[in-house]
Amino acid sequence: MTAAPELTPADYPLSINRPELLRTPTGKTLGDITMDAVVSGEITAEDLRVTPDTLVLQGRIAESMGRRQLGENCRRAAEMTAIPDAEVLAMYNALRPNASTAAQLEEMASRLEDTYAAATCAALVREAAQVYAARNLLAEED
Amino acid sequence: MTAVAPRSESTVRTSKRTEILEARPVNLDGFVEEWPEKGLVAMESDFDPAPSVRVEGGRIVELDGRTREQFDFMDTFIADHAIDVDTCEAAMATESVEIARMLVDPRTSRADVVALGRGLTPAKILEVVKLMNVVEIMMGIQKTRSRRTPANQAHSTSAKDNPIQVAADAAEGAVRGFAELETTLGVVRYAPLVAIGLQVGGQVGRGGTLTQCALEEATELDLGMRGITAYAETISIYGTESVFVDGDDTPWSKAFLASAYASRGIKMRFTSGTGSEVQMGNAEGRSMLYLEIRCILMAKGAGVQGLQNGSISCIGVPGAVPGGIRAVAAENLVASWMDLECASGNDQSFSHSPMRRTSRLLPQMLPGTDFVCSGYSAVPNKDNMFAGSNLETDDYDDWNVIQRDMQVDGGLRHVREDVILQVRNKAARAMQALFAELDLPAITDEEVEAATYADSSDDYPDRDVLADLEGARSVMERGITGLDLVKSLERTGFGDVAENYLKVLRQRVSGDLLQTAAVLDADFVPQAAINDANDYAGPGTGYRLSGERWEELKKLRHVTSAENPEEEVV
């Protein structure tokens, strides 16, 4: 991720006030998303996704409004953009109660860290593993 | 609980008046005594904990009478994620009556009372709102709701899961003013077609309406990722650990899911409400509102932008006990005060009494909330697959008159019949063209005609359900996305609908809809609790129904002309 500029509430909505800061995952601008480009196939479903940089910007705006936790959520989300849809769903299911052993949760945390550079997501999973152990919510070891 | 059977047959003569009262609809409602030991109590219980907090080494080690080793997972999550460690000891030292007065007093700014709230525990918050009567609670909602301009949300469903009906009613709902539209299913496999109907109809009625399809968490996320829906709401959380686990989730799994939605640029809020824990059989002896406040703080800790609360599908439970509807208003206040978008209930059949249905609505409608109803039924209740709402289609005119009487903005407006027929017809034709283009089971001209003039699912020709389910399966298997729908609408001559839909999808790139209480206005400008932040500071400030919008709300189905009493104003 590149260094994000400082933002204030006056920059919101970014789509209106700061469109120059926004890119699609393939590097296109908001203005490039036109009906002609959709029809010609230049814009694909892949373009209609948010980038980690944009999520960091939105997180900063949230924090500038005093919304610390929403900012943190945006940071976790920025990390998760790299994870394929199916794996995001699988990870969510693995975090449900009694769904994973301590070792499986640690494996997931490591994968988040090593494969996706998702350090804050990994920390959330490790925290869950600790609480699940204390509250008897881990799956039985085989 | 009494052992005496109520309303038993009696030979004792009753008065004529009693006979009349016995026959009133309100006496079909259920009322029950409190049972605090089991949590069957709204908000005043001796079994709720006393407020306390203790910080050691930058960490909360005691919360509402429990030490860290006694914490259940809700305590842990709230202590570690929701409460501001740096300010909590000072905040907790403030007298509860002082905080309650700050919520009501217009000279205390929203920002100050929200900042103070960041340091409070669930039991302290409960102690504060217990001091407030229902009018004071409404004053608090008026000040603390996050978005300046109130809005409303509709249910658009079909007892036959008919996607053409859902599209036509979504179009009518959108043109009447709903900012968000929600659907769900009788037969879950119908979901892709019904969700498409909702999205297409919504964009016909007014470009920029946001849609969602309430399903099991993983499926709901899948439809969102494909761009067939625009936001999600049915992400349920609960106030006790045991009920949370029964719901097959934890605060950590739900926090992970919140980030998953945000990572795809999809707006999302959680859902909770008083009564759910006692209804699911494990309130752990706490009052309904205490448990709901734990949910609200859990949602805040997860960093989700908003919460649907106000008892929601459990409204019968607080509705049956003394002070229950006051408690429901109090939970909306707390969600707003904790700086979350609040979609404030009024979304479930609640009473047989029209008078009681209205009184239950006023604590949200009069002060205004981010979404006054988190599901006004934009179909007749017999077609409402959320089991019926507190408001439905035949209440539209009453709603519009109440807005005009009270000069309050409940998010809707009266729309002329010709406009409604036009958008219903266009939505059905757009669906007809789209289904043909995507090789889905044909929609006949007879169905389009029915959709234009229909009230309920009874007014439509039956569809071939097996063929539709096969079509729904193929939508998922072929990996059809929102962008495919846009292209098909463009190719079949519904370019304006396609353009509206594309503009909604484009918001994913900006992430603007991830901010608190964000909606899209008719010009596709995101309006959130940032650029449309609530600035209420007493009389003469905040959102006032005036100007063009007030002129719009003066219009009703029948208004007599001042100049010519023989004429009605159109």
Side-chain angles (χ1 to χ4, degrees):
Chain A
M1 284 172 224
T2 51
E6 284 310 311
L7 292 176
T8 70
D11 293 303
Y12 183 86
L14 296 180
S15 57
I16 306 287
N17 295 334
R18 300 301 299 274
E20 76 280 6
L21 296 177
L22 303 174
R23 290 289 180 279
T24 76
T26 59
K28 299 188 182 79
T29 66
L30 271 190
D32 292 333
I33 305 175
T34 62
M35 191 59 74
D36 287 346
V38 168
V39 170
S40 73
E42 261 172 81
I43 295 287
T44 66
E46 184 56 31
D47 287 301
L48 296 174
R49 295 177 82 126
V50 67
T51 66
D53 288 353
T54 300
L55 285 163
V56 168
L57 296 180
Q58 293 290 359
R60 291 199 175 175
I61 291 178
E63 281 160 0
S64 77
M65 293 294 293
R67 296 173 181 139
R68 170 173 63 87
Q69 292 92 345
L70 180 52
E72 285 165 12
N73 186 27
C74 289
R75 269 201 299 282
R76 284 197 299 270
E79 294 178 352
M80 269 189 210
T81 54
I83 311 173
D85 292 357
E87 191 171 358
V88 168
L89 282 171
M91 286 178 164
Y92 162 61
N93 282 321
L95 271 173
R96 293 188 194 248
N98 307 305
S100 303
T101 63
Q104 285 166 334
L105 288 177
E106 178 49 40
E107 202 178 305
M108 182 171 144
S110 300
R111 183 168 168 75
L112 282 164
E113 246 167 9
D114 301 340
T115 309
Y116 299 114
T120 54
C121 292
L124 187 78
V125 172
R126 290 206 174 98
E127 187 187 312
Q130 268 194 353
V131 177
Y132 293 5
R135 303 302 296 172
N136 201 22
L137 294 169
L138 292 169
E140 302 284 329
E141 301 278 352
D142 287 330
Chain B
M1 302 265 173
T2 173
V4 179
R7 283 172 252 160
S8 56
E9 296 291 322
S10 171
T11 51
V12 178
R13 185 177 173 191
T14 57
S15 73
K16 292 273 187 199
R17 183 163 305 153
T18 295
E19 278 173 28
I20 289 166
L21 288 171
E22 280 287 359
R24 292 281 287 185
V26 76
N27 283 312
L28 293 169
D29 290 359
F31 302 101
V32 64
E33 273 190 311
E34 291 155 303
W35 191 4
E37 293 86 341
K38 290 287 173 191
L40 191 61
V41 58
M43 59 192 283
E44 315 266 357
S45 170
D46 294 339
F47 299 92
D48 284 333
S52 76
V53 81
R54 198 156 51 82
V55 176
E56 267 175 26
R59 203 165 182 235
I60 291 174
V61 295
E62 182 191 315
L63 183 73
D64 293 343
R66 279 185 186 155
T67 57
R68 191 163 268 273
E69 52 280 8
Q70 298 168 316
F71 280 4
D72 63 17
F73 71 29
M74 291 299 280
D75 296 319
T76 305
F77 193 87
I78 289 167
D80 291 349
H81 293 276
I83 299 174
D84 190 339
V85 178
D86 297 333
T87 63
C88 66
E89 286 176 315
M92 290 289 285
T94 314
E95 289 286 333
S96 292
V97 69
E98 188 54 38
I99 302 173
R101 285 174 187 166
M102 288 171 76
L103 281 165
V104 175
D105 183 352
R107 284 165 295 189
T108 301
S109 72
R110 178 183 190 274
D112 285 349
V113 75
V114 166
L116 183 65
R118 291 191 189 108
L120 302 180
T121 67
K124 180 74 168 183
I125 293 168
L126 177 66
E127 194 173 84
V128 170
V129 295
K130 274 162 74 170
L131 293 162
M132 301 170 75
N133 66 30
V134 71
V135 176
E136 290 154 354
I137 289 168
M138 288 159 71
M139 289 284 289
I141 292 174
Q142 174 166 250
K143 177 156 84 185
T144 61
R145 82 158 180 271
S146 64
R147 198 190 324 101
R148 186 174 191 269
T149 312
N152 212 335
Q153 186 205 71
H155 291 157
S156 183
T157 59
S158 163
K160 294 179 181 169
D161 294 320
N162 183 333
I164 302 107
Q165 180 190 4
V166 169
D169 283 320
E172 178 176 340
V175 78
R176 285 180 179 275
F178 293 106
E180 289 186 348
L181 305 166
E182 174 185 24
T183 195
T184 195
L185 285 302
V187 177
V188 174
R189 285 179 296 153
Y190 242 118
L193 300 190
V194 168
I196 289 170
L198 188 74
Q199 179 67 263
V200 170
Q203 300 318 315
V204 169
R206 167 184 71 85
T209 53
L210 304 179
T211 67
Q212 63 141 330
C213 183
L215 295 164
E216 184 278 322
E217 276 84 351
T219 322
E220 189 162 335
L221 179 57
D222 189 16
L223 282 176
M225 284 172 172
R226 286 163 182 261
I228 292 175
T229 53
Y231 76 104
E233 171 180 77
T234 318
I235 318 294
S236 300
I237 58 172
Y238 303 97
T240 63
E241 182 178 295
S242 47
V243 173
F244 218 127
V245 170
D246 281 348
D248 202 18
D249 266 300
T250 73
W252 287 266
S253 65
K254 282 281 152 87
F256 190 89
L257 190 60
S259 307
Y261 273 101
S263 75
R264 269 59 185 172
I266 305 170
K267 173 177 179 172
M268 197 266 258
R269 70 175 79 93
F270 285 166
T271 291
S272 61
T274 48
S276 63
E277 297 84 5
V278 66
Q279 182 156 306
M280 287 174 76
N282 217 334
E284 298 174 1
R286 307 300 198 196
S287 72
M288 298 179 205
L289 186 58
Y290 174 71
L291 296 180
E292 176 54 21
I293 293 170
R294 290 190 357 143
C295 292
I296 294 165
L297 288 188
M298 188 261 132
K300 184 180 176 71
V304 66
Q305 64 82 30
L307 184 66
Q308 167 182 231
N309 83 346
S311 195
I312 312 305
S313 54
C314 300
I315 188 69
V317 182
V321 298
I325 299 306
R326 169 183 168 233
V328 170
E331 63 179 294
N332 297 144
L333 167 60
V334 176
S336 306
W337 177 20
M338 294 299 118
D339 204 18
L340 298 169
E341 170 189 68
C342 179
S344 60
N346 284 306
D347 58 349
Q348 179 86 20
S349 294
F350 150 72
S351 172
H352 296 84
S353 154
M355 192 183 284
R356 195 163 177 242
R357 287 200 293 122
T358 309
S359 79
R360 184 258 170 277
L361 161 75
L362 295 179
Q364 292 76 33
M365 189 183 189
L366 296 185
T369 68
D370 296 319
F371 297 93
V372 177
C373 299
S374 48
Y376 181 123
S377 189
V379 289
N381 263 342
K382 66 177 177 177
D383 274 312
N384 189 304
M385 302 312 285
F386 294 97
S389 175
N390 189 39
L391 284 307
E392 58 176 312
T393 42
D394 62 10
D395 297 315
Y396 275 144
D397 288 357
D398 293 73
W399 182 283
N400 291 334
V401 171
I402 293 171
Q403 291 185 133
R404 185 178 184 268
D405 285 344
M406 298 294 192
Q407 200 166 349
V408 297
D409 193 338
L412 303 187
R413 59 175 182 159
H414 175 68
V415 182
R416 289 197 332 258
E417 169 79 353
D418 57 330
V419 175
I420 287 174
L421 294 180
Q422 190 256 328
V423 299
R424 294 185 65 93
N425 178 266
K426 185 173 172 182
R429 283 188 292 109
M431 287 292 283
Q432 185 182 40
L434 189 62
F435 272 36
E437 181 74 9
L438 293 173
D439 208 18
L440 294 169
I443 295 170
T444 63
D445 290 344
E446 190 192 358
E447 287 179 273
V448 171
E449 180 77 0
T452 309
Y453 296 99
D455 178 45
S456 77
S457 55
D458 294 340
D459 306 322
Y460 293 76
D462 283 335
R463 287 188 58 79
D464 180 342
V465 173
L466 290 179
D468 270 355
L469 291 178
E470 183 55 30
R473 194 181 57 80
S474 86
V475 167
M476 297 311 271
E477 277 187 6
R478 284 186 276 164
I480 288 175
T481 65
L483 204 57
D484 295 324
L485 302 176
V486 168
K487 281 191 237 179
S488 298
L489 287 164
E490 172 71 16
R491 270 200 300 270
T492 54
F494 290 89
D496 55 341
V497 184
E499 190 67 47
N500 288 347
Y501 192 172
L502 180 61
K503 283 180 179 155
V504 172
L505 287 175
R506 197 161 73 160
Q507 282 303 328
R508 292 188 178 204
V509 177
S510 76
D512 281 335
L513 295 180
L514 302 177
Q515 297 289 356
T516 306
V519 291
L520 282 178
D521 70 18
D523 300 319
F524 297 89
V525 177
Q527 299 290 344
I530 302 175
N531 58 335
D532 190 31
N534 186 10
D535 56 356
Y536 178 81
T541 68
Y543 181 82
R544 298 277 150 176
L545 183 49
S546 60
E548 205 178 311
R549 175 70 177 153
W550 176 221
E551 291 310 311
E552 185 172 62
L553 295 201
K554 288 178 184 174
K555 293 185 178 147
L556 299 172
R557 188 175 300 280
H558 301 290
V559 176
T560 303
S561 160
E563 284 172 10
N564 182 355
E566 303 298 312
E567 275 180 21
E568 284 186 352
V569 183
V570 184

